[in-house]
Amino acid sequence: MTLRFFVIIGTLILMCFVTSLLVSYRYFFTLPTINENIKDYQDRELLSLEIALNREFVFLKTLNYDYAVWDDSYDYMTSFDKDYIESNYVDDTFKSLKIDGVFIYDMNFKQVYGHTFDYIQEQSFELPEFDLNTHLPNRTILPYKKNTSERFGFLRTEHGPVMFASHVIQRTDKTGEPVGSIVFIKKVRKSQVAMMAEVAQVKLSYSIINDDSATQNLLVLNGGIQNEGIATERQRILLDINGNPLLTVNIEHHHQRLPVLFDLYLIIILIMFFVASIIGFFVVNRFFITPLINGASAINLMLLKNDLQPLHFKNQFIEMRVLINGFNSLIKEVKKQNEQLEKISKIDELTQIYNRRAFEEIYTLQWHDAHNQKTTLGLMLIDVDYFKLYNDCYGHQEGDSALQALCRVLKETAQSNNGIAARYGGEEFILLFNQLSFEQFELTSQQLRKNVNALKLPHKGSKVSDVLTISVGCAFATAKAMDNESITAKSLIKDADVMLYEAKNTGRDRALIKSI
Ligand SMILES: Nc1nc2c(ncn2[C@@H]2O[C@H](COP(=O)(O)OP(=O)(O)OP(=O)(O)O)[C@@H](O)[C@H]2O)c(=O)[nH]1
């Protein structure tokens, strides 16, 4: 798994976790509380509506009571005095009391007086429904049942629903047997409903029910919210005095937008969190993951190429800088040690010139170059004359010093002719030259021998000189020979070896050349 993938997965898990946390909090705590508050509010709206309706009846009932419990009304039921009617139920009475009709009944449900007057339109109208001898079910409007002195409610008429209030006729001091009852009525009007809506702070409309079956599932306006949820609007029915559905009331609640799980605030919070998470990821990616990945790729590439180099990253974080600097120091140290190892593996410790292994590598490369470019290649195989005797005479340490002095000469001579010098065996050395002409090569071999002689290292044991001398076997491969492939790298060394053998056998302290 990559670090970036891990951080992406981590960020996504964090986003899911926080989202579910916020959503759960809203679902289990906030939303139920808001719903409960709205339900409570809507319950109060329904109760207010009920109170507003009752208030309408209270006005009607109070008026009705005043007229029913009055000596003049009581007396009328025995005398049927027209003066009582003419002085108390003129049209202006209806207008001032804001009622639309008065009916007086005896104890046998017989209407002894009835008058209707639409106090707004100021005209009479017929209400046959209040003839209780022809509309027997409507007798329920009268308070003639035991322990009942008043009744009120709605009644269906051909002019629409009306509100009524009735009370038994009694003396003012409430003595004497009931002699009849007075009924006051008031039409249900839009203006009245509008006032109720204002009191309850809801929008109201109503319709008259003509088909009972359509209202079977509707609740009666009574007792507020009953086993219902919150809603933007709901319907209630009003029953007439006989318990039959009369009106459907459409209530539009104050709350027209119900709370949802993902409301605007939650969405904004989630968006803000998502944006913050994404920004966070990009910051971490930009300043931490990308440098780390680049660093890892660079190290990987170095390992593949086997070329260790310091990292050139800049980073804001102290820890990252410490890491990079630490790595660079490590690389520096490894390179240093590698160089030392390389040197140790290629340079002869005593003489500080190339060892045989290094020579083989260089020789192989130069052989191929010379072969490809058709250029000359020359080898000089050097052996110190009577060195065993030198050691015997001066000691091994002096022998070492002599070899060191000799190798300095070999190295200088080689380098001054663009060649290399290497230790080939114990006291056997080899020089390699490329692109020299035969003349230059020959001259160099002689010069080399002279330079060694010029060291003037005393050598009492030598049978050819009183100073240290060398024998040199040289092999020179011409450009032509390199081209026609008549020789090999090995054969050239062999030729040099043969010439060295010749030089030894023909008196030492000399350089013999074979040109191929
Ligand atoms: N002091 C010292 N002696 C070495 C070293 N390497 C080889 N020798 C000695 O070099 C001597 C080589 O002797 P030989 O190969 O017998 O030949 P020589 O005495 O040089 O005689 P010729 O080669 O025939 O002229 C040996 O005695 C080795 O011990 C070295 O690193 N230091």
PDB file of all heavy atoms in Angstrom, residues 129-160:
ATOM      1  N   GLU A 129     -85.799  24.282   8.575  1.00  0.00           N
ATOM      2  CA  GLU A 129     -85.180  23.270   9.437  1.00  0.00           C
ATOM      3  C   GLU A 129     -85.514  23.509  10.912  1.00  0.00           C
ATOM      4  O   GLU A 129     -85.337  22.607  11.746  1.00  0.00           O
ATOM      5  CB  GLU A 129     -83.647  23.268   9.273  1.00  0.00           C
ATOM      6  CG  GLU A 129     -83.154  22.828   7.909  1.00  0.00           C
ATOM      7  CD  GLU A 129     -83.178  23.937   6.878  1.00  0.00           C
ATOM      8  OE1 GLU A 129     -83.602  25.074   7.223  1.00  0.00           O
ATOM      9  OE2 GLU A 129     -82.792  23.683   5.722  1.00  0.00           O
ATOM     10  N   PHE A 130     -85.924  24.729  11.258  1.00  0.00           N
ATOM     11  CA  PHE A 130     -86.206  25.021  12.673  1.00  0.00           C
ATOM     12  C   PHE A 130     -87.686  24.782  13.032  1.00  0.00           C
ATOM     13  O   PHE A 130     -88.094  25.076  14.141  1.00  0.00           O
ATOM     14  CB  PHE A 130     -85.776  26.458  12.999  1.00  0.00           C
ATOM     15  CG  PHE A 130     -84.287  26.538  13.216  1.00  0.00           C
ATOM     16  CD1 PHE A 130     -83.433  26.653  12.139  1.00  0.00           C
ATOM     17  CD2 PHE A 130     -83.753  26.458  14.496  1.00  0.00           C
ATOM     18  CE1 PHE A 130     -82.072  26.703  12.319  1.00  0.00           C
ATOM     19  CE2 PHE A 130     -82.385  26.505  14.668  1.00  0.00           C
ATOM     20  CZ  PHE A 130     -81.538  26.618  13.603  1.00  0.00           C
ATOM     21  N   ASP A 131     -88.439  24.258  12.007  1.00  0.00           N
ATOM     22  CA  ASP A 131     -89.799  23.793  12.342  1.00  0.00           C
ATOM     23  C   ASP A 131     -89.642  22.373  12.864  1.00  0.00           C
ATOM     24  O   ASP A 131     -89.476  21.422  12.096  1.00  0.00           O
ATOM     25  CB  ASP A 131     -90.684  23.817  11.084  1.00  0.00           C
ATOM     26  CG  ASP A 131     -92.119  23.397  11.418  1.00  0.00           C
ATOM     27  OD1 ASP A 131     -92.326  22.865  12.550  1.00  0.00           O
ATOM     28  OD2 ASP A 131     -92.990  23.579  10.560  1.00  0.00           O
ATOM     29  N   LEU A 132     -89.690  22.221  14.191  1.00  0.00           N
ATOM     30  CA  LEU A 132     -89.310  20.939  14.795  1.00  0.00           C
ATOM     31  C   LEU A 132     -90.426  19.903  14.737  1.00  0.00           C
ATOM     32  O   LEU A 132     -90.214  18.750  15.134  1.00  0.00           O
ATOM     33  CB  LEU A 132     -88.855  21.158  16.244  1.00  0.00           C
ATOM     34  CG  LEU A 132     -87.682  22.131  16.401  1.00  0.00           C
ATOM     35  CD1 LEU A 132     -87.246  22.214  17.860  1.00  0.00           C
ATOM     36  CD2 LEU A 132     -86.507  21.721  15.523  1.00  0.00           C
ATOM     37  N   ASN A 133     -91.579  20.325  14.260  1.00  0.00           N
ATOM     38  CA  ASN A 133     -92.646  19.336  14.058  1.00  0.00           C
ATOM     39  C   ASN A 133     -92.476  18.643  12.712  1.00  0.00           C
ATOM     40  O   ASN A 133     -92.943  17.522  12.512  1.00  0.00           O
ATOM     41  CB  ASN A 133     -94.018  20.005  14.125  1.00  0.00           C
ATOM     42  CG  ASN A 133     -94.402  20.272  15.586  1.00  0.00           C
ATOM     43  OD1 ASN A 133     -93.986  19.522  16.477  1.00  0.00           O
ATOM     44  ND2 ASN A 133     -95.153  21.326  15.823  1.00  0.00           N
ATOM     45  N   THR A 134     -91.816  19.323  11.766  1.00  0.00           N
ATOM     46  CA  THR A 134     -91.568  18.701  10.461  1.00  0.00           C
ATOM     47  C   THR A 134     -90.148  18.156  10.381  1.00  0.00           C
ATOM     48  O   THR A 134     -89.864  17.248   9.601  1.00  0.00           O
ATOM     49  CB  THR A 134     -91.784  19.711   9.311  1.00  0.00           C
ATOM     50  OG1 THR A 134     -90.986  20.855   9.590  1.00  0.00           O
ATOM     51  CG2 THR A 134     -93.234  20.072   9.164  1.00  0.00           C
ATOM     52  N   HIS A 135     -89.228  18.700  11.165  1.00  0.00           N
ATOM     53  CA  HIS A 135     -87.831  18.228  11.177  1.00  0.00           C
ATOM     54  C   HIS A 135     -87.518  17.668  12.561  1.00  0.00           C
ATOM     55  O   HIS A 135     -86.836  18.300  13.368  1.00  0.00           O
ATOM     56  CB  HIS A 135     -86.868  19.370  10.827  1.00  0.00           C
ATOM     57  CG  HIS A 135     -86.997  19.827   9.416  1.00  0.00           C
ATOM     58  ND1 HIS A 135     -88.023  20.659   8.977  1.00  0.00           N
ATOM     59  CD2 HIS A 135     -86.250  19.536   8.309  1.00  0.00           C
ATOM     60  CE1 HIS A 135     -87.891  20.879   7.692  1.00  0.00           C
ATOM     61  NE2 HIS A 135     -86.808  20.206   7.250  1.00  0.00           N
ATOM     62  N   LEU A 136     -88.064  16.487  12.779  1.00  0.00           N
ATOM     63  CA  LEU A 136     -87.962  15.903  14.113  1.00  0.00           C
ATOM     64  C   LEU A 136     -86.531  15.718  14.614  1.00  0.00           C
ATOM     65  O   LEU A 136     -86.245  15.962  15.794  1.00  0.00           O
ATOM     66  CB  LEU A 136     -88.706  14.562  14.148  1.00  0.00           C
ATOM     67  CG  LEU A 136     -90.225  14.652  13.880  1.00  0.00           C
ATOM     68  CD1 LEU A 136     -90.850  13.268  13.973  1.00  0.00           C
ATOM     69  CD2 LEU A 136     -90.903  15.592  14.889  1.00  0.00           C
ATOM     70  N   PRO A 137     -85.578  15.259  13.763  1.00  0.00           N
ATOM     71  CA  PRO A 137     -84.200  15.077  14.286  1.00  0.00           C
ATOM     72  C   PRO A 137     -83.607  16.355  14.851  1.00  0.00           C
ATOM     73  O   PRO A 137     -82.730  16.294  15.714  1.00  0.00           O
ATOM     74  CB  PRO A 137     -83.421  14.610  13.050  1.00  0.00           C
ATOM     75  CG  PRO A 137     -84.436  14.063  12.132  1.00  0.00           C
ATOM     76  CD  PRO A 137     -85.684  14.872  12.353  1.00  0.00           C
ATOM     77  N   ASN A 138     -84.107  17.491  14.385  1.00  0.00           N
ATOM     78  CA  ASN A 138     -83.510  18.757  14.844  1.00  0.00           C
ATOM     79  C   ASN A 138     -83.977  19.143  16.244  1.00  0.00           C
ATOM     80  O   ASN A 138     -83.561  20.168  16.787  1.00  0.00           O
ATOM     81  CB  ASN A 138     -83.844  19.881  13.862  1.00  0.00           C
ATOM     82  CG  ASN A 138     -83.082  19.705  12.554  1.00  0.00           C
ATOM     83  OD1 ASN A 138     -82.235  18.801  12.467  1.00  0.00           O
ATOM     84  ND2 ASN A 138     -83.372  20.515  11.554  1.00  0.00           N
ATOM     85  N   ARG A 139     -84.873  18.308  16.807  1.00  0.00           N
ATOM     86  CA  ARG A 139     -85.347  18.619  18.173  1.00  0.00           C
ATOM     87  C   ARG A 139     -84.200  18.610  19.187  1.00  0.00           C
ATOM     88  O   ARG A 139     -84.332  19.116  20.280  1.00  0.00           O
ATOM     89  CB  ARG A 139     -86.407  17.596  18.582  1.00  0.00           C
ATOM     90  CG  ARG A 139     -87.710  17.825  17.849  1.00  0.00           C
ATOM     91  CD  ARG A 139     -88.785  16.883  18.353  1.00  0.00           C
ATOM     92  NE  ARG A 139     -90.062  17.213  17.772  1.00  0.00           N
ATOM     93  CZ  ARG A 139     -91.205  16.652  18.123  1.00  0.00           C
ATOM     94  NH1 ARG A 139     -91.220  15.706  19.045  1.00  0.00           N
ATOM     95  NH2 ARG A 139     -92.356  17.012  17.575  1.00  0.00           N
ATOM     96  N   THR A 140     -83.097  18.010  18.768  1.00  0.00           N
ATOM     97  CA  THR A 140     -81.947  17.956  19.696  1.00  0.00           C
ATOM     98  C   THR A 140     -81.394  19.329  20.012  1.00  0.00           C
ATOM     99  O   THR A 140     -80.571  19.473  20.917  1.00  0.00           O
ATOM    100  CB  THR A 140     -80.819  17.124  19.059  1.00  0.00           C
ATOM    101  OG1 THR A 140     -80.634  17.562  17.729  1.00  0.00           O
ATOM    102  CG2 THR A 140     -81.135  15.642  19.082  1.00  0.00           C
ATOM    103  N   ILE A 141     -81.829  20.336  19.248  1.00  0.00           N
ATOM    104  CA  ILE A 141     -81.288  21.681  19.527  1.00  0.00           C
ATOM    105  C   ILE A 141     -81.869  22.250  20.816  1.00  0.00           C
ATOM    106  O   ILE A 141     -81.335  23.193  21.375  1.00  0.00           O
ATOM    107  CB  ILE A 141     -81.544  22.673  18.353  1.00  0.00           C
ATOM    108  CG1 ILE A 141     -83.051  22.939  18.205  1.00  0.00           C
ATOM    109  CG2 ILE A 141     -80.921  22.160  17.052  1.00  0.00           C
ATOM    110  CD1 ILE A 141     -83.357  24.050  17.206  1.00  0.00           C
ATOM    111  N   LEU A 142     -82.978  21.640  21.300  1.00  0.00           N
ATOM    112  CA  LEU A 142     -83.618  22.201  22.500  1.00  0.00           C
ATOM    113  C   LEU A 142     -83.138  21.478  23.760  1.00  0.00           C
ATOM    114  O   LEU A 142     -82.935  20.259  23.735  1.00  0.00           O
ATOM    115  CB  LEU A 142     -85.138  22.074  22.378  1.00  0.00           C
ATOM    116  CG  LEU A 142     -85.736  22.859  21.189  1.00  0.00           C
ATOM    117  CD1 LEU A 142     -87.256  22.770  21.218  1.00  0.00           C
ATOM    118  CD2 LEU A 142     -85.308  24.329  21.210  1.00  0.00           C
ATOM    119  N   PRO A 143     -82.958  22.214  24.846  1.00  0.00           N
ATOM    120  CA  PRO A 143     -82.382  21.633  26.077  1.00  0.00           C
ATOM    121  C   PRO A 143     -83.441  20.969  26.942  1.00  0.00           C
ATOM    122  O   PRO A 143     -83.621  21.366  28.100  1.00  0.00           O
ATOM    123  CB  PRO A 143     -81.766  22.852  26.756  1.00  0.00           C
ATOM    124  CG  PRO A 143     -82.630  23.986  26.342  1.00  0.00           C
ATOM    125  CD  PRO A 143     -83.163  23.681  24.976  1.00  0.00           C
ATOM    126  N   TYR A 144     -84.151  19.994  26.367  1.00  0.00           N
ATOM    127  CA  TYR A 144     -85.249  19.404  27.124  1.00  0.00           C
ATOM    128  C   TYR A 144     -84.880  18.089  27.782  1.00  0.00           C
ATOM    129  O   TYR A 144     -85.718  17.414  28.343  1.00  0.00           O
ATOM    130  CB  TYR A 144     -86.460  19.205  26.205  1.00  0.00           C
ATOM    131  CG  TYR A 144     -87.114  20.532  25.808  1.00  0.00           C
ATOM    132  CD1 TYR A 144     -88.004  20.583  24.747  1.00  0.00           C
ATOM    133  CD2 TYR A 144     -86.846  21.713  26.519  1.00  0.00           C
ATOM    134  CE1 TYR A 144     -88.602  21.751  24.374  1.00  0.00           C
ATOM    135  CE2 TYR A 144     -87.430  22.898  26.148  1.00  0.00           C
ATOM    136  CZ  TYR A 144     -88.306  22.930  25.077  1.00  0.00           C
ATOM    137  OH  TYR A 144     -88.866  24.102  24.718  1.00  0.00           O
ATOM    138  N   LYS A 145     -83.676  17.725  27.693  1.00  0.00           N
ATOM    139  CA  LYS A 145     -83.285  16.489  28.374  1.00  0.00           C
ATOM    140  C   LYS A 145     -83.048  16.792  29.833  1.00  0.00           C
ATOM    141  O   LYS A 145     -82.811  17.936  30.208  1.00  0.00           O
ATOM    142  CB  LYS A 145     -82.012  15.917  27.741  1.00  0.00           C
ATOM    143  CG  LYS A 145     -82.270  15.208  26.441  1.00  0.00           C
ATOM    144  CD  LYS A 145     -81.058  14.432  25.997  1.00  0.00           C
ATOM    145  CE  LYS A 145     -81.379  13.660  24.733  1.00  0.00           C
ATOM    146  NZ  LYS A 145     -80.169  13.137  24.107  1.00  0.00           N
ATOM    147  N   LYS A 146     -83.051  15.730  30.641  1.00  0.00           N
ATOM    148  CA  LYS A 146     -82.866  15.905  32.094  1.00  0.00           C
ATOM    149  C   LYS A 146     -81.528  16.572  32.387  1.00  0.00           C
ATOM    150  O   LYS A 146     -80.533  16.300  31.717  1.00  0.00           O
ATOM    151  CB  LYS A 146     -82.896  14.531  32.781  1.00  0.00           C
ATOM    152  CG  LYS A 146     -84.258  14.183  33.301  1.00  0.00           C
ATOM    153  CD  LYS A 146     -84.179  12.955  34.198  1.00  0.00           C
ATOM    154  CE  LYS A 146     -85.579  12.612  34.683  1.00  0.00           C
ATOM    155  NZ  LYS A 146     -85.571  11.372  35.444  1.00  0.00           N
ATOM    156  N   ASN A 147     -81.537  17.417  33.393  1.00  0.00           N
ATOM    157  CA  ASN A 147     -80.316  18.096  33.846  1.00  0.00           C
ATOM    158  C   ASN A 147     -79.683  18.955  32.761  1.00  0.00           C
ATOM    159  O   ASN A 147     -78.491  19.188  32.756  1.00  0.00           O
ATOM    160  CB  ASN A 147     -79.265  17.102  34.350  1.00  0.00           C
ATOM    161  CG  ASN A 147     -79.813  16.256  35.480  1.00  0.00           C
ATOM    162  OD1 ASN A 147     -80.613  16.750  36.296  1.00  0.00           O
ATOM    163  ND2 ASN A 147     -79.412  14.999  35.503  1.00  0.00           N
ATOM    164  N   THR A 148     -80.474  19.377  31.799  1.00  0.00           N
ATOM    165  CA  THR A 148     -79.936  20.225  30.736  1.00  0.00           C
ATOM    166  C   THR A 148     -80.768  21.503  30.685  1.00  0.00           C
ATOM    167  O   THR A 148     -81.998  21.447  30.668  1.00  0.00           O
ATOM    168  CB  THR A 148     -80.028  19.532  29.377  1.00  0.00           C
ATOM    169  OG1 THR A 148     -79.506  18.221  29.513  1.00  0.00           O
ATOM    170  CG2 THR A 148     -79.256  20.272  28.320  1.00  0.00           C
ATOM    171  N   SER A 149     -80.086  22.615  30.705  1.00  0.00           N
ATOM    172  CA  SER A 149     -80.825  23.868  30.575  1.00  0.00           C
ATOM    173  C   SER A 149     -80.400  24.635  29.338  1.00  0.00           C
ATOM    174  O   SER A 149     -80.994  25.622  28.962  1.00  0.00           O
ATOM    175  CB  SER A 149     -80.617  24.737  31.827  1.00  0.00           C
ATOM    176  OG  SER A 149     -79.238  25.022  31.974  1.00  0.00           O
ATOM    177  N   GLU A 150     -79.313  24.203  28.704  1.00  0.00           N
ATOM    178  CA  GLU A 150     -78.869  24.903  27.489  1.00  0.00           C
ATOM    179  C   GLU A 150     -78.264  23.909  26.511  1.00  0.00           C
ATOM    180  O   GLU A 150     -77.831  22.824  26.889  1.00  0.00           O
ATOM    181  CB  GLU A 150     -77.831  25.989  27.821  1.00  0.00           C
ATOM    182  CG  GLU A 150     -76.549  25.401  28.386  1.00  0.00           C
ATOM    183  CD  GLU A 150     -75.400  26.399  28.417  1.00  0.00           C
ATOM    184  OE1 GLU A 150     -75.653  27.592  28.342  1.00  0.00           O
ATOM    185  OE2 GLU A 150     -74.241  25.917  28.497  1.00  0.00           O
ATOM    186  N   ARG A 151     -78.280  24.343  25.236  1.00  0.00           N
ATOM    187  CA  ARG A 151     -77.619  23.549  24.197  1.00  0.00           C
ATOM    188  C   ARG A 151     -77.001  24.529  23.203  1.00  0.00           C
ATOM    189  O   ARG A 151     -77.469  25.674  23.061  1.00  0.00           O
ATOM    190  CB  ARG A 151     -78.603  22.654  23.435  1.00  0.00           C
ATOM    191  CG  ARG A 151     -79.252  21.606  24.320  1.00  0.00           C
ATOM    192  CD  ARG A 151     -79.328  20.257  23.628  1.00  0.00           C
ATOM    193  NE  ARG A 151     -78.041  19.628  23.580  1.00  0.00           N
ATOM    194  CZ  ARG A 151     -77.786  18.463  22.963  1.00  0.00           C
ATOM    195  NH1 ARG A 151     -78.751  17.827  22.336  1.00  0.00           N
ATOM    196  NH2 ARG A 151     -76.597  17.948  22.951  1.00  0.00           N
ATOM    197  N   PHE A 152     -75.976  24.078  22.513  1.00  0.00           N
ATOM    198  CA  PHE A 152     -75.391  24.926  21.458  1.00  0.00           C
ATOM    199  C   PHE A 152     -74.663  24.009  20.489  1.00  0.00           C
ATOM    200  O   PHE A 152     -74.326  22.862  20.817  1.00  0.00           O
ATOM    201  CB  PHE A 152     -74.436  25.978  22.033  1.00  0.00           C
ATOM    202  CG  PHE A 152     -73.212  25.393  22.675  1.00  0.00           C
ATOM    203  CD1 PHE A 152     -72.033  25.256  21.930  1.00  0.00           C
ATOM    204  CD2 PHE A 152     -73.226  24.965  23.992  1.00  0.00           C
ATOM    205  CE1 PHE A 152     -70.918  24.709  22.521  1.00  0.00           C
ATOM    206  CE2 PHE A 152     -72.102  24.420  24.564  1.00  0.00           C
ATOM    207  CZ  PHE A 152     -70.937  24.289  23.837  1.00  0.00           C
ATOM    208  N   GLY A 153     -74.434  24.539  19.278  1.00  0.00           N
ATOM    209  CA  GLY A 153     -73.745  23.732  18.265  1.00  0.00           C
ATOM    210  C   GLY A 153     -74.056  24.219  16.873  1.00  0.00           C
ATOM    211  O   GLY A 153     -74.478  25.364  16.690  1.00  0.00           O
ATOM    212  N   PHE A 154     -73.820  23.321  15.936  1.00  0.00           N
ATOM    213  CA  PHE A 154     -74.072  23.656  14.528  1.00  0.00           C
ATOM    214  C   PHE A 154     -75.285  22.883  14.044  1.00  0.00           C
ATOM    215  O   PHE A 154     -75.585  21.799  14.538  1.00  0.00           O
ATOM    216  CB  PHE A 154     -72.876  23.247  13.657  1.00  0.00           C
ATOM    217  CG  PHE A 154     -71.645  24.076  13.898  1.00  0.00           C
ATOM    218  CD1 PHE A 154     -70.618  23.578  14.678  1.00  0.00           C
ATOM    219  CD2 PHE A 154     -71.513  25.334  13.310  1.00  0.00           C
ATOM    220  CE1 PHE A 154     -69.477  24.317  14.883  1.00  0.00           C
ATOM    221  CE2 PHE A 154     -70.363  26.070  13.513  1.00  0.00           C
ATOM    222  CZ  PHE A 154     -69.340  25.573  14.300  1.00  0.00           C
ATOM    223  N   LEU A 155     -75.933  23.458  13.027  1.00  0.00           N
ATOM    224  CA  LEU A 155     -77.045  22.754  12.386  1.00  0.00           C
ATOM    225  C   LEU A 155     -76.979  23.029  10.888  1.00  0.00           C
ATOM    226  O   LEU A 155     -76.665  24.143  10.464  1.00  0.00           O
ATOM    227  CB  LEU A 155     -78.378  23.244  12.958  1.00  0.00           C
ATOM    228  CG  LEU A 155     -79.561  22.348  12.631  1.00  0.00           C
ATOM    229  CD1 LEU A 155     -79.482  21.023  13.401  1.00  0.00           C
ATOM    230  CD2 LEU A 155     -80.884  23.049  12.991  1.00  0.00           C
ATOM    231  N   ARG A 156     -77.232  21.963  10.122  1.00  0.00           N
ATOM    232  CA  ARG A 156     -77.221  22.108   8.664  1.00  0.00           C
ATOM    233  C   ARG A 156     -78.553  22.712   8.206  1.00  0.00           C
ATOM    234  O   ARG A 156     -79.609  22.254   8.629  1.00  0.00           O
ATOM    235  CB  ARG A 156     -77.034  20.736   8.027  1.00  0.00           C
ATOM    236  CG  ARG A 156     -76.872  20.761   6.525  1.00  0.00           C
ATOM    237  CD  ARG A 156     -76.923  19.332   6.005  1.00  0.00           C
ATOM    238  NE  ARG A 156     -75.803  18.533   6.440  1.00  0.00           N
ATOM    239  CZ  ARG A 156     -74.662  18.444   5.761  1.00  0.00           C
ATOM    240  NH1 ARG A 156     -74.522  19.097   4.617  1.00  0.00           N
ATOM    241  NH2 ARG A 156     -73.696  17.697   6.220  1.00  0.00           N
ATOM    242  N   THR A 157     -78.504  23.743   7.377  1.00  0.00           N
ATOM    243  CA  THR A 157     -79.729  24.330   6.802  1.00  0.00           C
ATOM    244  C   THR A 157     -79.513  24.525   5.309  1.00  0.00           C
ATOM    245  O   THR A 157     -78.378  24.396   4.821  1.00  0.00           O
ATOM    246  CB  THR A 157     -80.056  25.704   7.429  1.00  0.00           C
ATOM    247  OG1 THR A 157     -79.140  26.663   6.915  1.00  0.00           O
ATOM    248  CG2 THR A 157     -79.972  25.663   8.943  1.00  0.00           C
ATOM    249  N   GLU A 158     -80.611  24.876   4.623  1.00  0.00           N
ATOM    250  CA  GLU A 158     -80.474  25.093   3.172  1.00  0.00           C
ATOM    251  C   GLU A 158     -79.692  26.371   2.878  1.00  0.00           C
ATOM    252  O   GLU A 158     -79.235  26.584   1.758  1.00  0.00           O
ATOM    253  CB  GLU A 158     -81.840  25.119   2.496  1.00  0.00           C
ATOM    254  CG  GLU A 158     -82.717  26.272   2.925  1.00  0.00           C
ATOM    255  CD  GLU A 158     -84.097  26.207   2.268  1.00  0.00           C
ATOM    256  OE1 GLU A 158     -84.625  25.087   2.050  1.00  0.00           O
ATOM    257  OE2 GLU A 158     -84.619  27.282   1.976  1.00  0.00           O
ATOM    258  N   HIS A 159     -79.532  27.224   3.880  1.00  0.00           N
ATOM    259  CA  HIS A 159     -78.727  28.451   3.725  1.00  0.00           C
ATOM    260  C   HIS A 159     -77.299  28.244   4.213  1.00  0.00           C
ATOM    261  O   HIS A 159     -76.572  29.190   4.437  1.00  0.00           O
ATOM    262  CB  HIS A 159     -79.372  29.604   4.488  1.00  0.00           C
ATOM    263  CG  HIS A 159     -80.679  30.024   3.903  1.00  0.00           C
ATOM    264  ND1 HIS A 159     -80.779  30.807   2.775  1.00  0.00           N
ATOM    265  CD2 HIS A 159     -81.951  29.723   4.259  1.00  0.00           C
ATOM    266  CE1 HIS A 159     -82.057  30.992   2.465  1.00  0.00           C
ATOM    267  NE2 HIS A 159     -82.794  30.333   3.361  1.00  0.00           N
ATOM    268  N   GLY A 160     -76.948  26.998   4.416  1.00  0.00           N
ATOM    269  CA  GLY A 160     -75.601  26.715   4.907  1.00  0.00           C
ATOM    270  C   GLY A 160     -75.626  26.428   6.382  1.00  0.00           C
ATOM    271  O   GLY A 160     -76.666  26.497   7.037  1.00  0.00           O
TER     272      GLY A 160
END
